[in-house]
Amino acid sequence: MMNNKIKWLITLCWFLSIGYTANGQEPVYVTRYQQVGYGTTNILDTYLTQEKFKGNGLSILVSSERKKPSSNWSTLMHSQLNLSTAKDRSGDKSEVEGAFNFLWGRLYRWQMLNGNLHLQAGGMVNAGLGFIYNTANANNPAQARAALQLMPTGIASYTFPLWKHHVLMRYELNLPLVGVTFSPNYGQSYYEIFSLGNYDHNIVPTTFVSAPYFRQHFTVAYPIYRTTMLSLSYLGDYQQLQVNNLKQHVLSHRIMLGIIKDF
């Protein structure tokens, strides 16, 4: 009787260890990225001023990738927060910029070089909200930012041995395709839009020509524990827009430091 109980306990522990639940569902493996970075930001918004602004900013990036062992498909999510301050060439005027972007997508994976090289391709939906505030403007001091965009995405991941551990090199590229954005028209105030209700082509369809938003992320990670890696990366986020006779860009470059953990 005791031997049967021991066998049953060993069997149960084995099933739990490989991740299967009691109802027979396949396990889902999750990789989480938590990174924070600092770097330069370039800002232009001709609705506020024709001047270009340069400064520095902070970015926080939290990501997760979910996949099943039996499938080559994975779900990738990014939550990205950017905050920047910048000054014009004379140093007399300043702007404050902030944005939150949530990206969700599905990617298909190919394995090469005995599993050391992984290539992924698919698409992501990018939903963004933000603002640009000009401290010197008395009239129309702020510009709201809201957009939804479909972005083709490619990822290359390569692992190689170094100092008795496997180092991860990963490159992700998000490209612009089509979307929709909010923008006032040239010379139109927010009072006209929201108080008077005067619509003037404020919800604008976009393409990779009118909204060339590029995002790239290169990461090098080294193991510090069995399921944990320390990462150093470069995040380039180039948000550009040209609609309603207005131009806008927020170009940020960040050096990121973080943790990658497998569950």
Side-chain angles (χ1 to χ4, degrees), residues 17-185:
S17 68
I18 63 174
Y20 282 85
T21 61
N23 57 9
Q25 291 182 341
E26 189 177 5
V28 176
Y29 296 108
V30 180
T31 301
R32 291 180 181 169
Y33 306 76
Q34 295 176 320
Q35 298 175 310
V36 60
Y38 184 80
T40 61
T41 304
N42 297 330
I43 304 172
L44 169 68
D45 193 313
T46 59
Y47 179 78
L48 301 175
T49 176
Q50 297 292 328
E51 283 285 347
K52 294 181 180 179
F53 291 72
K54 295 183 179 181
N56 296 295
L58 177 74
S59 292
I60 299 173
L61 178 62
V62 178
S63 308
S64 67
E65 185 171 9
R66 303 170 63 89
K67 53 193 173 185
K68 294 181 178 180
S70 64
S71 175
N72 288 325
W73 287 95
S74 63
T75 300
L76 180 62
M77 292 180 288
H78 297 305
S79 296
Q80 181 177 316
L81 176 67
N82 297 324
L83 294 171
S84 302
T85 58
K87 290 185 177 295
D88 65 355
R89 288 173 292 180
S90 65
D92 298 329
K93 301 176 182 179
S94 61
E95 287 187 340
V96 179
E97 177 272 335
F100 175 78
N101 288 85
F102 177 74
L103 294 89
W104 182 95
R106 294 279 289 170
L107 298 102
Y108 189 84
R109 181 176 69 256
W110 295 269
Q111 296 188 39
M112 303 177 181
L113 303 180
N114 296 321
N116 292 326
L117 175 64
H118 289 190
L119 300 179
Q120 295 172 268
M124 303 193 75
V125 177
N126 178 16
L129 291 173
F131 69 91
I132 300 174
Y133 175 70
N134 188 298
T135 59
N137 283 9
N139 187 30
N140 291 339
Q143 166 75 299
R145 303 165 63 200
L148 186 68
Q149 196 170 32
L150 177 62
M151 306 185 74
T153 298
I155 300 175
S157 302
Y158 180 68
T159 57
F160 61 93
L162 180 66
W163 299 325
K164 299 181 180 181
H165 294 283
H166 281 83
V167 178
L168 169 68
M169 297 179 63
R170 181 182 183 275
Y171 179 74
E172 177 180 343
L173 178 63
N174 310 110
L175 298 172
L177 186 57
V178 295
V180 63
T181 190
F182 164 81
S183 173
N185 217 315

Side-chain angles (χ1 to χ4, degrees), residues 211-223:
Y213 180 168
F214 296 87
R215 182 180 179 277
Q216 61 175 342
H217 192 196
F218 175 70
T219 302
V220 178
Y222 189 79

